[in-house]
Amino acid sequence: MEYRRLGGTDMDVSVIGTGGYPFGPPLLGQDETTAVVHRAIECGINFFDTSDVYGGGQSEDFLGNALAGKRDAIYLSTKFNLRDLGGQTPRDRIFARCEEALRKLRTDRIDLFQVHYASPEVPHEELLGPLDDLVRQGKVRFIGNCNTASWRWLEEIETSRANNMAEFQSTQNHYSLLYRHAELELIPFCRAYGRSLLAYFPLGGGWLTGTYRPGEPYPEGSRAAKVPTGIVTRLRSERVERLVPQLEAFAGERGHTIAELALAWVIAHPEVVLALTGFDRPEHVEVNVKAVDWKLTQEDLDELDALTSWWEGRNAVIDSPTPPPRPDVPR
C-alpha cells in the first residue's frame, strides 16, 4: 500500500480508501460490512469514510461495530449537512451531528469531519465557527469539504485565516476517467494551496469495473439494479458506453483490468490523496488494492488523456498560457 499526507494534516492515508456507502440496507448487512472492513485493514487501507445518509442511515452504526478494537489503526471520516435546518441554527446542527456520529461510530474523535454539500445561504463564519470549536474541544481533528468549488473554498480559507479558525484541508469530489471536471480548477487549486482531493466514484460508479456492459441491462443483483437512481444510471450515455470497451482494451493490452486502470489513473495525480471505493465483498478489496502497483507512464497518461478528454475543442487547458496541443480524438 502507498500512503500520502492529507493536506496540511498529520495524517498519512492509504491511496485507496474505503467508502461507507454500501454499509447498510439495501446493500450490506452487519456481518458483510464487518468482513469488508476487516479485509480492507488487512490490505493496508487505513481511511474509512461514511455519512449519516448512507445505508439507510445505518452506515455509521455498521462501521462503528466493524471497527471494534481496531479504531486506533485507522482514520475515520464522516459528514454533516446544513440543508433543511428546520429551525435549527447551523451551530446546533453541526454540534448535534457530531455527537450523533461519535455515538454511532463508537469513537471519541472524528479524524476528518466534512460538510457534505455547500450551503450558500449560510455565512462562512457560521459554518467555520462551530467546526473550529469542535477542533479545539478535540472531538474533531481536521475539517474538510465535499462537492465544492475552488472559489468557495478560497473564501472559506480566507475567512478561517482572518478569524484564526481551523481551515478546510481537503475536498471530496467526483473524479474519474469518465468525469474529469476536477482538472478544470480543483486540482490546480489543491496544487497551489497544498490541499488534497479525495476522489469519489473513481470507478465511475461501476462502469469502470466491467460490471455494466454497453447496450445491456444492469445485471441482476448489481448495485445499479438495487439502487436504480444511482450514479450508474446518471452516467450512462453514448460516450461512456463507447469508452468502456476502449479502456478495457487499453488495460488488457498491458496485462491489467479496467478497474486497475481506473484507480491507477486517479492516483497518478499527486493532488489526489486517495481514491474512495465502496466495496461490496472482501474480494473486491483485494482486486482494487492491486491498482496501487501499476505506475502509469507519461505515454500512458497522454494516450488516456486523448482518449477520455471530456472537453470539446482543441487545446482545452485553462491553467497554462501555452497549452500543449492535443491530438484529434475520433468521435
Tab-separated table of all heavy atoms in Angstrom, residues 219-269:
chain	number	residue	atom	x	y	z
A	219	PRO	N	-27.013	-5.980	-14.557
A	219	PRO	CA	-27.105	-7.371	-14.092
A	219	PRO	C	-27.937	-7.491	-12.818
A	219	PRO	O	-27.896	-6.619	-11.947
A	219	PRO	CB	-25.641	-7.753	-13.814
A	219	PRO	CG	-24.836	-6.789	-14.615
A	219	PRO	CD	-25.624	-5.516	-14.641
A	220	GLU	N	-28.667	-8.576	-12.724
A	220	GLU	CA	-29.461	-8.829	-11.525
A	220	GLU	C	-28.541	-8.921	-10.313
A	220	GLU	O	-27.500	-9.581	-10.353
A	220	GLU	CB	-30.242	-10.131	-11.680
A	220	GLU	CG	-31.186	-10.432	-10.519
A	220	GLU	CD	-32.000	-11.693	-10.741
A	220	GLU	OE1	-31.950	-12.234	-11.863
A	220	GLU	OE2	-32.673	-12.133	-9.779
A	221	GLY	N	-28.909	-8.223	-9.242
A	221	GLY	CA	-28.114	-8.234	-8.029
A	221	GLY	C	-27.035	-7.177	-7.971
A	221	GLY	O	-26.400	-6.993	-6.932
A	222	SER	N	-26.798	-6.477	-9.089
A	222	SER	CA	-25.785	-5.429	-9.093
A	222	SER	C	-26.288	-4.203	-8.340
A	222	SER	O	-27.483	-4.051	-8.086
A	222	SER	CB	-25.416	-5.031	-10.524
A	222	SER	OG	-26.512	-4.397	-11.164
A	223	ARG	N	-25.362	-3.296	-7.997
A	223	ARG	CA	-25.747	-2.104	-7.249
A	223	ARG	C	-26.731	-1.258	-8.045
A	223	ARG	O	-27.675	-0.706	-7.485
A	223	ARG	CB	-24.513	-1.287	-6.881
A	223	ARG	CG	-24.813	-0.175	-5.901
A	223	ARG	CD	-23.574	0.595	-5.493
A	223	ARG	NE	-22.548	-0.261	-4.900
A	223	ARG	CZ	-21.412	0.201	-4.399
A	223	ARG	NH1	-21.141	1.496	-4.440
A	223	ARG	NH2	-20.532	-0.626	-3.875
A	224	ALA	N	-26.524	-1.143	-9.359
A	224	ALA	CA	-27.430	-0.335	-10.179
A	224	ALA	C	-28.830	-0.922	-10.211
A	224	ALA	O	-29.821	-0.186	-10.290
A	224	ALA	CB	-26.884	-0.202	-11.595
A	225	ALA	N	-28.924	-2.250	-10.154
A	225	ALA	CA	-30.236	-2.886	-10.135
A	225	ALA	C	-30.935	-2.658	-8.796
A	225	ALA	O	-32.160	-2.517	-8.730
A	225	ALA	CB	-30.106	-4.378	-10.414
A	226	LYS	N	-30.142	-2.594	-7.703
A	226	LYS	CA	-30.718	-2.394	-6.377
A	226	LYS	C	-31.010	-0.925	-6.098
A	226	LYS	O	-31.942	-0.600	-5.363
A	226	LYS	CB	-29.771	-2.943	-5.311
A	226	LYS	CG	-29.584	-4.453	-5.346
A	226	LYS	CD	-28.612	-4.898	-4.264
A	226	LYS	CE	-28.410	-6.397	-4.267
A	226	LYS	NZ	-27.425	-6.825	-3.244
A	227	VAL	N	-30.174	-0.030	-6.633
A	227	VAL	CA	-30.335	1.409	-6.411
A	227	VAL	C	-30.401	2.073	-7.781
A	227	VAL	O	-29.436	2.690	-8.238
A	227	VAL	CB	-29.170	1.982	-5.573
A	227	VAL	CG1	-29.480	3.410	-5.139
A	227	VAL	CG2	-28.882	1.101	-4.364
A	228	PRO	N	-31.542	1.967	-8.485
A	228	PRO	CA	-31.615	2.395	-9.886
A	228	PRO	C	-31.499	3.893	-10.112
A	228	PRO	O	-31.360	4.334	-11.254
A	228	PRO	CB	-32.991	1.870	-10.319
A	228	PRO	CG	-33.772	1.749	-9.055
A	228	PRO	CD	-32.777	1.349	-8.010
A	229	THR	N	-31.540	4.688	-9.055
A	229	THR	CA	-31.407	6.134	-9.227
A	229	THR	C	-29.967	6.593	-8.990
A	229	THR	O	-29.699	7.782	-8.894
A	229	THR	CB	-32.334	6.888	-8.254
A	229	THR	OG1	-32.010	6.495	-6.909
A	229	THR	CG2	-33.786	6.574	-8.545
A	230	GLY	N	-29.032	5.650	-8.868
A	230	GLY	CA	-27.662	5.982	-8.512
A	230	GLY	C	-26.820	6.473	-9.661
A	230	GLY	O	-27.297	6.731	-10.779
A	231	ILE	N	-25.516	6.574	-9.393
A	231	ILE	CA	-24.572	7.158	-10.335
A	231	ILE	C	-24.484	6.365	-11.628
A	231	ILE	O	-24.245	6.927	-12.703
A	231	ILE	CB	-23.177	7.280	-9.673
A	231	ILE	CG1	-22.203	8.018	-10.604
A	231	ILE	CG2	-22.634	5.914	-9.293
A	231	ILE	CD1	-22.596	9.429	-10.931
A	232	VAL	N	-24.681	5.056	-11.595
A	232	VAL	CA	-24.581	4.246	-12.798
A	232	VAL	C	-25.611	4.702	-13.827
A	232	VAL	O	-25.319	4.881	-15.011
A	232	VAL	CB	-24.774	2.753	-12.468
A	232	VAL	CG1	-24.661	1.928	-13.739
A	232	VAL	CG2	-23.751	2.302	-11.450
A	233	THR	N	-26.820	4.926	-13.357
A	233	THR	CA	-27.883	5.387	-14.245
A	233	THR	C	-27.590	6.781	-14.778
A	233	THR	O	-27.783	7.068	-15.965
A	233	THR	CB	-29.233	5.391	-13.493
A	233	THR	OG1	-29.494	4.074	-13.004
A	233	THR	CG2	-30.364	5.830	-14.403
A	234	ARG	N	-27.092	7.668	-13.909
A	234	ARG	CA	-26.843	9.042	-14.326
A	234	ARG	C	-25.684	9.149	-15.321
A	234	ARG	O	-25.676	10.019	-16.179
A	234	ARG	CB	-26.569	9.921	-13.102
A	234	ARG	CG	-27.737	10.013	-12.136
A	234	ARG	CD	-27.626	11.218	-11.225
A	234	ARG	NE	-26.411	11.224	-10.431
A	234	ARG	CZ	-26.289	10.613	-9.250
A	234	ARG	NH1	-27.314	9.909	-8.765
A	234	ARG	NH2	-25.167	10.680	-8.562
A	235	LEU	N	-24.703	8.264	-15.186
A	235	LEU	CA	-23.547	8.336	-16.080
A	235	LEU	C	-23.787	7.673	-17.428
A	235	LEU	O	-23.066	7.943	-18.385
A	235	LEU	CB	-22.340	7.663	-15.414
A	235	LEU	CG	-21.383	8.553	-14.612
A	235	LEU	CD1	-20.209	7.733	-14.103
A	235	LEU	CD2	-20.870	9.716	-15.439
A	236	ARG	N	-24.777	6.811	-17.504
A	236	ARG	CA	-24.975	6.071	-18.751
A	236	ARG	C	-25.211	7.029	-19.906
A	236	ARG	O	-26.084	7.889	-19.853
A	236	ARG	CB	-26.142	5.109	-18.617
A	236	ARG	CG	-26.303	4.192	-19.821
A	236	ARG	CD	-27.158	2.973	-19.535
A	236	ARG	NE	-26.661	1.817	-20.263
A	236	ARG	CZ	-27.005	0.566	-20.013
A	236	ARG	NH1	-27.838	0.298	-19.021
A	236	ARG	NH2	-26.491	-0.424	-20.716
A	237	SER	N	-24.402	6.891	-20.942
A	237	SER	CA	-24.505	7.762	-22.113
A	237	SER	C	-23.791	7.084	-23.273
A	237	SER	O	-23.058	6.099	-23.096
A	237	SER	CB	-23.843	9.115	-21.832
A	237	SER	OG	-22.444	8.962	-21.664
A	238	GLU	N	-23.970	7.638	-24.461
A	238	GLU	CA	-23.283	7.103	-25.633
A	238	GLU	C	-21.779	7.182	-25.449
A	238	GLU	O	-21.037	6.261	-25.792
A	238	GLU	CB	-23.713	7.877	-26.878
A	238	GLU	CG	-23.076	7.387	-28.178
A	238	GLU	CD	-21.664	7.946	-28.406
A	238	GLU	OE1	-21.399	9.060	-27.915
A	238	GLU	OE2	-20.851	7.246	-29.056
A	239	ARG	N	-21.306	8.287	-24.854
A	239	ARG	CA	-19.864	8.471	-24.649
A	239	ARG	C	-19.300	7.412	-23.712
A	239	ARG	O	-18.262	6.801	-23.995
A	239	ARG	CB	-19.590	9.867	-24.087
A	239	ARG	CG	-18.138	10.105	-23.681
A	239	ARG	CD	-17.948	11.512	-23.124
A	239	ARG	NE	-16.600	11.683	-22.585
A	239	ARG	CZ	-16.231	11.378	-21.349
A	239	ARG	NH1	-17.126	10.874	-20.501
A	239	ARG	NH2	-14.981	11.567	-20.954
A	240	VAL	N	-19.977	7.177	-22.585
A	240	VAL	CA	-19.497	6.201	-21.619
A	240	VAL	C	-19.522	4.797	-22.217
A	240	VAL	O	-18.566	4.029	-22.076
A	240	VAL	CB	-20.334	6.274	-20.327
A	240	VAL	CG1	-20.063	5.066	-19.424
A	240	VAL	CG2	-20.035	7.566	-19.576
A	241	GLU	N	-20.585	4.448	-22.905
A	241	GLU	CA	-20.676	3.109	-23.468
A	241	GLU	C	-19.650	2.904	-24.586
A	241	GLU	O	-19.227	1.773	-24.838
A	241	GLU	CB	-22.092	2.849	-23.967
A	241	GLU	CG	-23.121	2.841	-22.833
A	241	GLU	CD	-24.370	2.071	-23.170
A	241	GLU	OE1	-24.518	1.664	-24.341
A	241	GLU	OE2	-25.193	1.860	-22.267
A	242	ARG	N	-19.240	3.976	-25.235
A	242	ARG	CA	-18.179	3.889	-26.244
A	242	ARG	C	-16.813	3.750	-25.598
A	242	ARG	O	-15.953	2.992	-26.079
A	242	ARG	CB	-18.228	5.122	-27.140
A	242	ARG	CG	-17.036	5.259	-28.084
A	242	ARG	CD	-17.225	6.402	-29.050
A	242	ARG	NE	-17.569	7.643	-28.366
A	242	ARG	CZ	-16.689	8.450	-27.795
A	242	ARG	NH1	-15.412	8.125	-27.766
A	242	ARG	NH2	-17.072	9.577	-27.212
A	243	LEU	N	-16.591	4.474	-24.502
A	243	LEU	CA	-15.272	4.484	-23.883
A	243	LEU	C	-14.948	3.202	-23.126
A	243	LEU	O	-13.787	2.783	-23.082
A	243	LEU	CB	-15.167	5.676	-22.921
A	243	LEU	CG	-14.898	7.041	-23.539
A	243	LEU	CD1	-14.913	8.119	-22.464
A	243	LEU	CD2	-13.562	7.040	-24.271
A	244	VAL	N	-15.942	2.576	-22.495
A	244	VAL	CA	-15.666	1.415	-21.649
A	244	VAL	C	-14.917	0.316	-22.400
A	244	VAL	O	-13.875	-0.170	-21.925
A	244	VAL	CB	-16.965	0.895	-21.001
A	244	VAL	CG1	-16.752	-0.491	-20.389
A	244	VAL	CG2	-17.441	1.870	-19.927
A	245	PRO	N	-15.359	-0.121	-23.591
A	245	PRO	CA	-14.590	-1.155	-24.295
A	245	PRO	C	-13.188	-0.685	-24.683
A	245	PRO	O	-12.241	-1.482	-24.678
A	245	PRO	CB	-15.439	-1.437	-25.540
A	245	PRO	CG	-16.815	-0.984	-25.185
A	245	PRO	CD	-16.611	0.198	-24.294
A	246	GLN	N	-13.040	0.595	-25.013
A	246	GLN	CA	-11.725	1.108	-25.377
A	246	GLN	C	-10.779	1.086	-24.176
A	246	GLN	O	-9.595	0.752	-24.315
A	246	GLN	CB	-11.860	2.527	-25.922
A	246	GLN	CG	-12.618	2.608	-27.238
A	246	GLN	CD	-12.838	4.040	-27.701
A	246	GLN	OE1	-12.915	4.957	-26.898
A	246	GLN	NE2	-12.951	4.214	-29.003
A	247	LEU	N	-11.289	1.434	-23.020
A	247	LEU	CA	-10.461	1.418	-21.816
A	247	LEU	C	-10.148	-0.013	-21.377
A	247	LEU	O	-9.055	-0.288	-20.875
A	247	LEU	CB	-11.159	2.191	-20.698
A	247	LEU	CG	-11.286	3.695	-20.948
A	247	LEU	CD1	-12.211	4.337	-19.911
A	247	LEU	CD2	-9.921	4.373	-20.927
A	248	GLU	N	-11.098	-0.919	-21.562
A	248	GLU	CA	-10.831	-2.331	-21.274
A	248	GLU	C	-9.703	-2.851	-22.147
A	248	GLU	O	-8.812	-3.574	-21.680
A	248	GLU	CB	-12.095	-3.156	-21.493
A	248	GLU	CG	-13.131	-3.026	-20.392
A	248	GLU	CD	-14.358	-3.864	-20.669
A	248	GLU	OE1	-14.794	-3.953	-21.828
A	248	GLU	OE2	-14.893	-4.433	-19.697
A	249	ALA	N	-9.725	-2.465	-23.427
A	249	ALA	CA	-8.674	-2.899	-24.345
A	249	ALA	C	-7.325	-2.311	-23.952
A	249	ALA	O	-6.297	-3.008	-23.979
A	249	ALA	CB	-9.037	-2.501	-25.774
A	250	PHE	N	-7.314	-1.032	-23.562
A	250	PHE	CA	-6.083	-0.371	-23.133
A	250	PHE	C	-5.470	-1.123	-21.956
A	250	PHE	O	-4.272	-1.407	-21.933
A	250	PHE	CB	-6.381	1.075	-22.742
A	250	PHE	CG	-5.196	1.876	-22.301
A	250	PHE	CD1	-4.554	2.736	-23.175
A	250	PHE	CD2	-4.722	1.783	-20.998
A	250	PHE	CE1	-3.447	3.474	-22.767
A	250	PHE	CE2	-3.621	2.519	-20.574
A	250	PHE	CZ	-2.977	3.359	-21.468
A	251	ALA	N	-6.291	-1.433	-20.957
A	251	ALA	CA	-5.796	-2.137	-19.772
A	251	ALA	C	-5.365	-3.554	-20.119
A	251	ALA	O	-4.298	-4.022	-19.684
A	251	ALA	CB	-6.878	-2.153	-18.695
A	252	GLY	N	-6.173	-4.261	-20.910
A	252	GLY	CA	-5.869	-5.644	-21.257
A	252	GLY	C	-4.565	-5.795	-22.010
A	252	GLY	O	-3.812	-6.758	-21.788
A	253	GLU	N	-4.284	-4.852	-22.891
A	253	GLU	CA	-3.027	-4.894	-23.650
A	253	GLU	C	-1.818	-4.768	-22.739
A	253	GLU	O	-0.703	-5.145	-23.112
A	253	GLU	CB	-3.015	-3.768	-24.683
A	253	GLU	CG	-3.986	-3.980	-25.828
A	253	GLU	CD	-4.190	-2.730	-26.662
A	253	GLU	OE1	-3.532	-1.701	-26.358
A	253	GLU	OE2	-5.001	-2.769	-27.598
A	254	ARG	N	-2.016	-4.241	-21.543
A	254	ARG	CA	-0.922	-4.047	-20.589
A	254	ARG	C	-0.998	-5.025	-19.422
A	254	ARG	O	-0.311	-4.863	-18.416
A	254	ARG	CB	-0.939	-2.598	-20.098
A	254	ARG	CG	-0.563	-1.613	-21.203
A	254	ARG	CD	-1.088	-0.210	-20.935
A	254	ARG	NE	-0.644	0.717	-21.966
A	254	ARG	CZ	-1.233	0.844	-23.161
A	254	ARG	NH1	-2.285	0.067	-23.450
A	254	ARG	NH2	-0.773	1.706	-24.042
A	255	GLY	N	-1.879	-6.025	-19.548
A	255	GLY	CA	-1.961	-7.069	-18.543
A	255	GLY	C	-2.711	-6.690	-17.287
A	255	GLY	O	-2.456	-7.264	-16.213
A	256	HIS	N	-3.629	-5.742	-17.405
A	256	HIS	CA	-4.382	-5.282	-16.246
A	256	HIS	C	-5.876	-5.263	-16.552
A	256	HIS	O	-6.298	-5.379	-17.697
A	256	HIS	CB	-3.930	-3.876	-15.832
A	256	HIS	CG	-2.540	-3.808	-15.303
A	256	HIS	ND1	-2.230	-4.080	-13.994
A	256	HIS	CD2	-1.369	-3.511	-15.918
A	256	HIS	CE1	-0.930	-3.946	-13.814
A	256	HIS	NE2	-0.374	-3.602	-14.959
A	257	THR	N	-6.679	-5.070	-15.500
A	257	THR	CA	-8.116	-4.937	-15.653
A	257	THR	C	-8.485	-3.469	-15.790
A	257	THR	O	-7.697	-2.570	-15.452
A	257	THR	CB	-8.860	-5.515	-14.441
A	257	THR	OG1	-8.564	-4.699	-13.292
A	257	THR	CG2	-8.443	-6.951	-14.173
A	258	ILE	N	-9.702	-3.218	-16.234
A	258	ILE	CA	-10.165	-1.837	-16.363
A	258	ILE	C	-10.283	-1.173	-14.988
A	258	ILE	O	-10.025	0.029	-14.848
A	258	ILE	CB	-11.509	-1.775	-17.129
A	258	ILE	CG1	-11.890	-0.312	-17.429
A	258	ILE	CG2	-12.615	-2.518	-16.385
A	258	ILE	CD1	-13.114	-0.168	-18.320
A	259	ALA	N	-10.617	-1.932	-13.950
A	259	ALA	CA	-10.698	-1.362	-12.607
A	259	ALA	C	-9.316	-0.923	-12.129
A	259	ALA	O	-9.161	0.147	-11.528
A	259	ALA	CB	-11.296	-2.370	-11.636
A	260	GLU	N	-8.299	-1.739	-12.381
A	260	GLU	CA	-6.939	-1.350	-12.015
A	260	GLU	C	-6.521	-0.088	-12.758
A	260	GLU	O	-5.876	0.797	-12.186
A	260	GLU	CB	-5.974	-2.493	-12.314
A	260	GLU	CG	-6.144	-3.691	-11.400
A	260	GLU	CD	-5.372	-4.907	-11.869
A	260	GLU	OE1	-4.728	-4.842	-12.937
A	260	GLU	OE2	-5.423	-5.934	-11.173
A	261	LEU	N	-6.903	-0.006	-14.029
A	261	LEU	CA	-6.592	1.195	-14.813
A	261	LEU	C	-7.258	2.421	-14.213
A	261	LEU	O	-6.622	3.475	-14.041
A	261	LEU	CB	-7.058	1.008	-16.255
A	261	LEU	CG	-7.010	2.249	-17.142
A	261	LEU	CD1	-5.586	2.766	-17.290
A	261	LEU	CD2	-7.628	1.963	-18.506
A	262	ALA	N	-8.532	2.319	-13.888
A	262	ALA	CA	-9.283	3.462	-13.371
A	262	ALA	C	-8.656	4.000	-12.089
A	262	ALA	O	-8.494	5.222	-11.931
A	262	ALA	CB	-10.732	3.060	-13.123
A	263	LEU	N	-8.292	3.107	-11.183
A	263	LEU	CA	-7.725	3.550	-9.911
A	263	LEU	C	-6.288	4.033	-10.073
A	263	LEU	O	-5.888	5.045	-9.482
A	263	LEU	CB	-7.793	2.422	-8.887
A	263	LEU	CG	-9.209	2.008	-8.474
A	263	LEU	CD1	-9.175	0.755	-7.599
A	263	LEU	CD2	-9.925	3.138	-7.744
A	264	ALA	N	-5.497	3.327	-10.879
A	264	ALA	CA	-4.118	3.756	-11.108
A	264	ALA	C	-4.073	5.141	-11.733
A	264	ALA	O	-3.199	5.955	-11.416
A	264	ALA	CB	-3.389	2.747	-11.999
A	265	TRP	N	-5.026	5.424	-12.623
A	265	TRP	CA	-5.056	6.737	-13.283
A	265	TRP	C	-5.411	7.849	-12.295
A	265	TRP	O	-4.777	8.903	-12.282
A	265	TRP	CB	-6.071	6.716	-14.428
A	265	TRP	CG	-6.151	8.020	-15.155
A	265	TRP	CD1	-5.340	8.451	-16.176
A	265	TRP	CD2	-7.078	9.073	-14.921
A	265	TRP	NE1	-5.714	9.710	-16.578
A	265	TRP	CE2	-6.780	10.117	-15.830
A	265	TRP	CE3	-8.139	9.235	-14.035
A	265	TRP	CZ2	-7.510	11.307	-15.870
A	265	TRP	CZ3	-8.868	10.410	-14.062
A	265	TRP	CH2	-8.546	11.432	-14.972
A	266	VAL	N	-6.407	7.613	-11.451
A	266	VAL	CA	-6.807	8.640	-10.486
A	266	VAL	C	-5.655	8.972	-9.541
A	266	VAL	O	-5.337	10.136	-9.309
A	266	VAL	CB	-8.061	8.190	-9.704
A	266	VAL	CG1	-8.276	9.063	-8.471
A	266	VAL	CG2	-9.294	8.252	-10.604
A	267	ILE	N	-5.011	7.950	-8.987
A	267	ILE	CA	-3.959	8.208	-8.003
A	267	ILE	C	-2.634	8.590	-8.663
A	267	ILE	O	-1.663	8.918	-7.959
A	267	ILE	CB	-3.772	7.027	-7.030
A	267	ILE	CG1	-3.333	5.766	-7.755
A	267	ILE	CG2	-5.044	6.796	-6.233
A	267	ILE	CD1	-3.053	4.581	-6.818
A	268	ALA	N	-2.585	8.585	-9.989
A	268	ALA	CA	-1.398	9.106	-10.682
A	268	ALA	C	-1.292	10.614	-10.531
A	268	ALA	O	-0.237	11.186	-10.794
A	268	ALA	CB	-1.434	8.727	-12.163
A	269	HIS	N	-2.378	11.269	-10.108
A	269	HIS	CA	-2.379	12.712	-9.886
A	269	HIS	C	-1.979	12.973	-8.429
A	269	HIS	O	-2.693	12.573	-7.509
A	269	HIS	CB	-3.763	13.283	-10.179
A	269	HIS	CG	-4.206	13.062	-11.602
A	269	HIS	ND1	-4.707	11.853	-12.037
A	269	HIS	CD2	-4.206	13.887	-12.668
A	269	HIS	CE1	-5.004	11.947	-13.323
A	269	HIS	NE2	-4.695	13.168	-13.736
